[in-house]
């Protein structure tokens, strides 16, 4: 991850400018507890009123499961009564390059009287960022986004990828040349700065990396990026899926989350005597992530499809360990180098995917890292091999264990972790738990392939 980049200026304009440019509606977007974007669109002429008073939505979006089922198992949201307001959270809307009739802005959910609402995911992240600032700390975050492309209308049991030849080569991009050109152009015009784009390992799989930014901006850009991909794919007769697994037996899609922690503008993950150049404070940050990793991953890879993606030997971080440039470690330290400079150092969380709400994912990571710093944690030695190749005895002796493999195990890790649970808040944690149990009940009796397919087009 490079130093913080300045985005190509998004086409941000006021309502009058939008109307003159032919924009007919502004879409206000947030992400639910399944990582699924939800939205309301207001006519451009009504946008100023929406900024002032918001748009009415049901509070039950907090207990929508992945397949739009509404669970009433979280008592505070146990009836269909009530209303909240969805407020535009950005200063100005972004005119969408791939959807010229519409503009886009992130949203924040507030109570009907305008007061804070405990289930608003964006507020959860803002709270952690504010905590860090009080301690003199700042964060940069960036995403690597993987997705699968197939031809529109190819909705069979397992859609055919657009290209199944050698990975990482120019021929793979040539197969989607016009789409790739529009995607890079649209991301730039929408203000999503991209470091690189390539054909990934899996059939029909591609990846791009979003340049780092402050955590809230990074989460906003993640939502805007997926909208941009879907629009570009549609324009070229393609269909994109960010689902953790698109088809049984294939490589999954990760949304690897990179973070770095700074004090007075100095990156704490470089310039020290520890492994990979870690300072003592940087090591404490990584140790905090490692200590709370099962609870973090319950938030960053929460779906049933996520659980199937987290397989040993697939570079997705199935074991709780850290390593320096070890792509099988759940936490991969990317150290600074003389070529890239100290600002490049970051830690990558590999068990992270599109089923994660980006605001909650970053809030969980920051909370765990801040606790590691506060407690002065130390790191064990890095793991530089594939822990799946070790015996169970060797893993145990190094404190390496498999991350949760079931919904029950994930929820036990989350509910039993006071740091991550406190960061989310009791109300939101309760809603999150209810949604996960609803998903599990829906999938009961289905085989693995059916579950994978049921998530394919949700993301």
């Amino acid at each position: 991850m490079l130093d913080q980049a300045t985005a190509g200026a998004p086409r941000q304009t006021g309502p009058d400018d939008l109307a003159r440019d032919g924009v007919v509606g502004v879409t206000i977007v947030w992400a639910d507890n399944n990582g699924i974007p939800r939205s309301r669109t207001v006519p451009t002429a009504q946008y100023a009123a929406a900024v002032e008073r918001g748009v009415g939505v049901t509070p039950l979006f907090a207990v929508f499961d992945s397949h739009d089922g509404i669970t009433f198992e979280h008592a505070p949201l146990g009836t269909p009564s009530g209303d909240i307001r969805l407020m535009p959270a950005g200063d100005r809307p972004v005119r969408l390059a791939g959807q010229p009739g519409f503009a886009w802005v992130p949203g924040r959910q507030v109570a009907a009287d305008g007061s804070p609402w405990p289930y608003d995911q964006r507020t959860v992240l803002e709270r952690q960022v504010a905590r860090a600032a009080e301690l003199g700390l700042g964060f940069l975050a960036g995403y690597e986004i993987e997705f699968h492309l197939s031809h529109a209308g190819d909705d069979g049991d397992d859609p055919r990828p657009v290209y199944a030849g050698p990975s990482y080569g120019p021929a793979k991009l040539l197969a989607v040349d016009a789409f790739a050109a529009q995607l890079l152009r649209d991301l730039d015009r929408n203000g999503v700065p991209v470091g690189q784009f390539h054909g990934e390992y899996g059939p029909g799989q591609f990846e791009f990396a979003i340049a780092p930014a402050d955590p809230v901006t990074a989460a906003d850009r993640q939502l805007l990026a997926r909208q941009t991909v879907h629009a570009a794919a549609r324009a070229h007769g393609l269909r994109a899926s960010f689902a953790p697994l698109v088809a049984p037996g294939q490589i999954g899609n990760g949304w690897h989350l990179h973070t770095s922690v700074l004090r007075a503008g100095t990156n704490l993950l470089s310039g020290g005597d520890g492994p990979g150049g870690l300072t003592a404070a940087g090591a404490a940050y990584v140790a905090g992530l490692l200590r709370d990793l099962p609870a973090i991953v319950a938030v960053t890879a929460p779906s049933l499809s996520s659980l199937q993606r987290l397989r040993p030997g697939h570079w997705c971080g199935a074991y709780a360990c850290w390593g320096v440039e070890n792509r099988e470690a759940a936490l991969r330290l990317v150290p600074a180098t003389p070529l890239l400079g100290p600002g490049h150092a970051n830690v990558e969380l590999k068990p992270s995917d599109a089923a994660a709400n980006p605001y909650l994912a970053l809030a969980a990571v920051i909370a765990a890292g801040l606790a590691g710093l506060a407690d002065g944690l130390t790191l064990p030695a890095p793991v530089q091999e594939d822990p799946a190749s070790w015996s169970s005895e060797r893993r145990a002796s190094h404190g390496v264990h498999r991350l949760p493999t079931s919904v029950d195990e994930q929820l036990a890790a989350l509910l039993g972790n006071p740091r991550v649970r406190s960061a989310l808040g009791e109300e939101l944690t309760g809603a999150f738990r209810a949604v996960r149990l609803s998903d599990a009940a829906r999938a009961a009796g289905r085989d693995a392939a059916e579950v994978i397919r049921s998530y394919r087009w949700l993301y």
Side-chain angles (χ1 to χ4, degrees):
M1 185 168 71
L2 303 178
D3 297 315
Q4 184 172 9
T6 301
R11 297 187 296 172
Q12 293 181 316
T13 50
D16 292 342
D17 296 325
L18 290 172
R20 282 193 296 269
D21 287 344
V23 173
V24 297
V26 179
T27 300
I28 309 168
V29 180
W30 78 102
D32 70 9
N33 286 327
N34 313 289
I36 295 174
R38 309 287 183 176
S39 68
R40 287 287 191 271
T41 297
V42 297
T44 303
Q46 297 300 316
Y47 181 65
V51 170
E52 183 178 344
R53 297 188 294 272
V55 179
V57 297
T58 173
L60 295 180
F61 278 114
V63 287
F64 267 51
D65 68 21
S66 296
H67 294 78
D68 291 347
I70 300 173
T71 173
F72 291 102
E73 296 304 312
H74 175 58
L77 298 176
T79 78
S81 301
D83 198 57
I84 59 171
R85 307 299 290 180
L86 176 66
M87 309 290 293
D91 293 334
R92 308 180 79 183
V94 176
R95 185 182 180 189
L96 291 170
Q99 297 172 261
F102 294 91
W104 181 99
V105 67
R108 176 186 291 107
Q109 302 156 88
V110 300
D113 63 0
S115 61
W117 193 55
Y119 300 93
D120 180 58
Q121 297 89 353
R122 184 188 178 92
T123 300
V124 169
L125 174 56
E126 291 171 336
R127 191 164 59 232
Q128 292 305 310
V129 171
R131 277 189 63 220
E134 292 172 357
L135 298 170
L137 299 170
F139 290 86
L140 290 177
Y143 277 94
E144 293 178 63
I145 293 181
E146 295 175 340
F147 61 97
H148 177 278
L149 281 177
S150 61
H151 294 283
D154 184 13
D155 296 335
D157 282 349
D158 297 314
R160 292 173 297 111
V162 293
Y163 183 80
S167 302
Y168 303 113
K172 191 165 188 175
L173 285 182
L174 186 63
V176 293
D177 183 70
F179 159 80
Q182 178 172 339
L183 177 60
L184 290 176
R185 186 183 305 116
D186 289 354
L187 287 167
D188 179 65
R189 295 176 73 187
N190 287 346
V192 180
V194 171
Q196 56 83 24
F197 175 67
H198 65 272
E200 248 294 338
Y201 187 81
Q205 189 181 45
F206 298 84
E207 178 190 291
F208 61 93
I210 302 176
D214 69 89
V216 176
T217 298
D220 289 344
R221 286 176 176 171
Q222 192 240 56
L223 291 180
L224 180 53
R226 66 169 83 183
Q227 181 80 7
T228 306
V229 172
H230 281 305
R234 183 192 62 178
H236 294 277
L238 302 172
R239 194 173 187 186
S241 174
F242 301 107
L245 275 180
V246 174
Q250 287 193 5
I251 296 296
N253 292 319
W255 285 32
H256 303 159
L257 176 54
H258 294 252
T259 58
S260 54
V261 56
L262 301 89
R263 179 179 287 127
T266 298
N267 190 342
L268 300 181
L269 301 182
S270 66
D273 298 327
L278 282 172
T279 66
Y285 172 72
V286 178
L289 303 188
L290 183 62
R291 175 177 63 180
D292 291 337
L293 197 55
I296 292 172
V297 174
V299 177
T300 62
S303 74
L304 294 165
S305 184
S306 306
L307 288 167
Q308 293 194 53
R309 172 183 166 262
L310 297 182
R311 297 162 291 175
H314 285 73
W315 288 15
C316 56
Y319 285 93
C321 63
W322 82 283
V324 180
E325 292 287 22
N326 181 358
R327 286 175 169 80
E328 279 291 353
L331 294 171
R332 169 191 169 222
L333 178 68
V334 183
T337 67
L339 179 63
L340 297 175
H344 178 81
N346 67 90
V347 59
E348 176 190 28
L349 174 67
K350 298 191 75 67
S352 170
D353 60 49
N357 180 292
Y359 304 97
L360 297 185
L362 276 161
V365 166
I366 292 171
L370 289 179
L373 283 160
D375 293 342
L377 298 185
T378 58
L379 271 172
V383 173
Q384 297 304 112
E385 304 170 44
D386 180 358
S389 67
W390 291 3
S391 67
S392 57
E393 293 78 15
R394 186 181 180 193
R395 285 195 294 268
S397 69
H398 285 77
V400 174
H401 55 87
R402 183 78 184 269
L403 287 169
T405 60
S406 70
V407 171
D408 286 344
E409 289 180 3
Q410 282 198 326
L411 288 177
L414 174 60
L415 298 177
N417 187 293
R419 293 167 292 276
V420 176
R421 182 171 178 166
S422 175
L424 301 187
E426 286 304 308
E427 296 93 339
L428 195 146
T429 298
F432 190 88
R433 173 184 178 275
V435 167
R436 302 279 73 78
L437 291 175
S438 180
D439 277 354
R442 181 184 297 273
R446 296 187 179 186
D447 64 27
E450 287 181 282
V451 171
I452 291 170
R453 291 167 184 142
S454 74
Y455 280 85
R456 177 182 296 148
W457 303 122
L458 301 184
Y459 299 101

